[in-house]
Amino acid sequence: MSSKILIVAEHDGAKLNPSTAKCVTCARAIDGADITLVVCAVNAAAVAAEAAQLAGVSRVLTLENSANEHALAAVLAPQIAALAEPYSHVFGPSTTFGKDLMARISGLLDAPQVSDIMAVESPTRFRRPIYAGNAILTVEVATGSKVIGTVRTASFAAAAAGGPAPIEKAAVNVELPKHTRFVSISAARSDRPDLQSAARVISGGRALGSAEGFKILYALADKLGAAVGASRAAVDAGYAPNEMQVGQTGKIIAPELYVAIGISGAIQHLTGIKDARTIVAINKDAEAPIFEVADIGLVGDLFQIVPEIERLL
Amino acid sequence: MKRILVGIKRVVDYNVRIRVKPDGSGVVTDGVKMSINPFDEIALEEALRIKERGGAEEVVVVTVGPADCQQQLRTALAMGADRALHVQADGGIEPLVTARVMLKLVEREQPLLVILGKQAIDDDNGQTGQLLAALWNRPQATYASKVELHDGAARVTREVDAGLETLDVDLPAVITTDLRLNEPRYVKLPDIMKAKKKPLDTLTLSALGVEPRVQLKAVSWSPPAQRQKGVLVKDAAELVAALKQKGLL
């Protein structure tokens, strides 16, 4: 049996977000998957060309509309819903973009959503983490129902290069709402790698003591070519901006190397890092729960240890 | 009346260590402390602050679930909600069913704003707000860290992966809360006494005309894979050497 899968591409207008390639890998785990990517944009050409290179993608559809300049769920959802009729599955990434959008699509289609898919057991059966990852639920979608899904990107590798798949312009005839308007986005410009796709991540906790204290992390990260993350406690205290938060309610990541510095390791934080290949913990409290999951632990004063590591590199 | 509807869910308390039952039929909830979902507490706090600033006249809390949920509704009333609606439902209620219930209540109550938590910390689905906004055909502003009401619209700052995004949404609208929107107030003892006299109405799914459909069947629960405890090194030099040995540097 074949499954027709529509994946909503995430992008910033110029480049495809790496989360999309992970959704493709998840979709390919479904038997007989025939995968279509859809790019909603003002000018979709560059992103569509990139999307067409992903192995396993049969075609890329573009939905171009001046209303698609910013990824507003209320504007995108009716367009995707109008396109979704022939598909058995509609997937998007479990990023803030995908979580905001896919559930709105689920509502418009009256089709159930499986959130945070971490494994595919059959076209209708999936595994997903619940209770901050403290339990794994296997869930079966009722027969005959379309499956809306958000893909837990940390659980899947990015699809390799392949293709190129054909790119087709699509058009839908739906009225788009004007009740939701983009005002602005403030994003810290950074030359560091993207936290969600970086191979190496250095994260700091409340023990850093201040935004100033985080600077020793940035120095180490730059030496390692690493992204920088933060615990909820550090973000709440104002030491780091919200987009750096790693954990149940922040970003779920799976780097090759994760270095937790001055992070005690609350369960909500651990759920965000447990797919990391190697976890290193540096903490002055030998009893900190982070040491229960760390592959390499070092008990001591981070303000001495971190600069020393930097010198040794 | 300018009204705000707040959805709350009874969940296993944030601090409880979750254990999966040995037979894989669920997680242990017997004798476990239950609380209002933390994101919903933030939603209620925001509604109360809007009312206190004169932006609304009434805050109504709603829950869908078994009889025990009334404890959490009473807590919400003690926090300052004016009245509560309990929609009785047993068993696992799916997000689409909850959203349909909310839509019926929205039609009855005609709120200016519906504020919900961005996710419940038990199922971690994170769907209800967006589902309701879709069914209601109204704006959604998810993951809010700041909310300001201006005539007929709300300006909402959202915590997104790239940073902070600001949207203007016409009212009525659905807002879902992120952690840093506010810090919920503590409940004072006299307020607990007062809350006992506040109205709490009970409704049923059938009276609202909502069918408790099951489209997502929970098959089994299992504990997550455990990471093995690793090694301790004594200083920075040993750490760097260990990372080099693993080929990570």
Side-chain angles (χ1 to χ4, degrees):
Chain A
M1 212 192 86
S2 87
S3 297
K4 290 191 62 149
I5 303 170
L6 181 67
I7 296 175
V8 185
E10 178 171 2
H11 63 86
D12 62 4
K15 282 185 74 65
L16 194 64
N17 186 289
S19 62
T20 304
K22 297 180 175 190
C23 291
V24 171
T25 303
C26 173
R28 289 184 86 180
I30 294 173
D31 285 341
D34 177 29
I35 301 171
T36 302
L37 278 184
V38 58
V39 179
C40 302
V42 182
N43 300 301
V47 175
E50 207 183 332
Q53 298 295 330
L54 295 172
V57 173
S58 303
R59 74 195 63 74
V60 176
L61 301 179
T62 60
L63 275 176
E64 294 186 325
N65 190 317
S66 59
N68 293 346
E69 185 177 0
H70 303 286
L72 300 174
V75 172
L76 299 184
Q79 298 176 65
I80 307 291
L83 206 63
E85 210 280 321
Y87 296 92
S88 54
H89 299 71
V90 186
F91 282 0
S94 255
T95 54
T96 53
F97 161 81
K99 289 190 281 194
D100 185 43
L101 173 61
M102 300 312 292
R104 188 157 182 126
I105 295 171
S106 162
L108 293 180
L109 294 173
D110 192 25
Q113 173 173 307
V114 180
S115 297
D116 303 319
I117 296 170
M118 61 184 287
V120 173
E121 296 203 340
S122 84
T124 52
R125 188 174 284 209
F126 305 91
R127 286 160 64 80
R128 58 177 301 264
I130 56 173
Y131 290 97
N134 287 300
I136 307 300
L137 177 67
T138 302
V139 63
E140 174 84 31
V141 180
T143 323
S145 181
K146 222 184 263 302
V147 181
I148 313 303
T150 60
V151 174
R152 184 178 182 274
T153 54
S155 299
F156 299 92
I167 299 170
E168 299 160 25
K169 270 193 196 304
V172 289
N173 187 17
V174 286
E175 202 181 325
L176 300 180
K178 304 231 185 317
H179 54 47
T180 304
R181 295 170 298 276
F182 174 87
V183 177
S184 64
I185 186 148
S186 68
R189 296 303 307 163
S190 165
D191 296 331
R192 293 189 190 93
D194 170 54
L195 178 57
Q196 264 159 320
S197 50
R200 294 169 172 175
V201 174
I202 311 281
S203 268
R206 189 152 41 192
L208 270 300
S210 63
E212 192 68 21
F214 256 76
K215 284 188 178 164
I216 62 168
L217 254 54
Y218 296 129
L220 179 60
D222 290 343
K223 199 108 180 216
L224 285 168
V228 181
S231 70
R232 178 192 165 187
V235 177
D236 282 356
Y239 305 165
N242 67 281
E243 63 267 26
M244 276 168 50
Q245 186 176 320
V246 172
Q248 179 189 18
T249 67
K251 288 175 181 162
I252 310 284
I253 57 173
E256 290 290 301
L257 174 63
Y258 184 78
V259 186
I261 299 175
I263 291 177
S264 62
I267 203 88
Q268 292 79 11
H269 184 75
L270 300 183
T271 192
I273 62 167
K274 63 184 184 190
D275 294 302
R277 203 180 105 198
T278 299
I279 296 175
V280 173
I282 300 169
N283 202 299
K284 70 174 186 325
D285 176 11
E287 303 298 316
I290 190 77
F291 289 117
E292 296 298 317
V293 300
D295 300 285
I296 307 173
L298 174 49
V299 179
D301 177 5
L302 70 94
F303 291 103
Q304 280 174 11
I305 294 166
V306 173
E308 205 178 328
I309 296 171
E310 201 202 322
R311 276 195 301 276
L312 290 165
L313 292 174
Chain B
M1 189 185 294
K2 281 158 76 179
R3 183 174 289 140
I4 302 178
L5 212 55
V6 175
I8 66 168
K9 186 178 185 187
R10 171 186 165 94
V11 298
V12 173
D13 188 80
Y14 189 75
N15 290 308
V16 171
R17 200 173 184 95
I18 299 298
R19 283 177 300 126
V20 175
K21 290 180 187 167
D23 65 357
S25 66
V27 303
V28 177
T29 52
D30 287 348
V32 159
K33 185 184 176 197
M34 304 297 283
S35 300
I36 298 178
N37 176 44
F39 291 101
D40 304 344
E41 248 184 337
I42 294 171
L44 176 54
E45 177 66 35
E46 196 62 20
L48 296 173
R49 289 184 190 189
I50 291 169
K51 184 187 163 195
E52 285 159 3
R53 288 198 298 264
E57 293 151 293
E58 188 183 44
V59 174
V60 181
V61 285
V62 178
T63 197
V64 186
D68 292 345
C69 296
Q70 292 196 5
Q71 290 166 24
Q72 279 65 42
L73 286 177
R74 287 291 171 201
T75 305
L77 291 169
M79 268 180 78
D82 298 294
R83 58 189 172 89
L85 297 171
H86 173 214
V87 181
Q88 272 186 318
D90 293 318
I93 298 297
E94 293 180 8
L96 261 168
V97 175
T98 306
R100 293 214 170 276
V101 169
M102 292 297 293
L103 180 67
K104 292 288 183 187
L105 297 178
V106 157
E107 287 163 358
R108 284 166 58 133
E109 302 284 345
Q110 299 288 317
L112 171 80
L113 209 54
V114 178
I115 313 183
L116 305 172
K118 74 165 179 178
Q119 72 193 80
I121 61 163
D122 51 2
D123 290 335
D124 283 333
N125 274 314
Q127 299 176 17
T128 306
Q130 298 91 307
L131 291 172
L132 171 62
L135 298 175
W136 192 14
N137 197 18
R138 292 304 307 166
Q140 67 190 47
T142 51
Y143 324 132
S145 67
K146 192 177 176 194
V147 175
E148 294 169 306
L149 299 192
H150 308 278
D151 14 75
R155 175 158 290 194
V156 181
T157 302
R158 310 175 55 227
E159 294 200 2
V160 296
D161 290 339
L164 294 171
E165 183 187 70
T166 303
L167 297 181
D168 279 342
V169 293
D170 291 341
L171 301 181
V174 178
I175 291 175
T176 77
T177 61
D178 218 316
L179 291 168
R180 282 168 285 273
L181 181 58
N182 60 50
E183 255 184 71
R185 65 197 64 188
Y186 287 101
V187 172
K188 297 187 207 78
L189 193 60
D191 295 330
I192 296 173
M193 303 310 290
K194 261 192 269 172
K196 289 183 180 162
K197 298 200 182 78
K198 289 184 178 176
L200 190 163
D201 291 332
T202 302
L203 302 156
T204 60
L205 289 175
S206 57
L208 290 171
V210 177
E211 208 191 315
R213 278 191 305 184
V214 180
Q215 290 179 289
L216 292 168
K217 187 169 166 275
V219 178
S220 63
W221 286 255
S222 57
Q226 294 297 321
R227 288 187 79 101
Q228 296 299 312
K229 192 172 173 169
V231 296
L232 279 180
V233 292
K234 72 173 187 338
D235 57 23
E238 267 194 22
L239 174 59
V240 171
L243 290 174
K244 281 187 175 152
Q245 200 194 351
K246 279 177 168 271
L248 289 164
L249 290 181

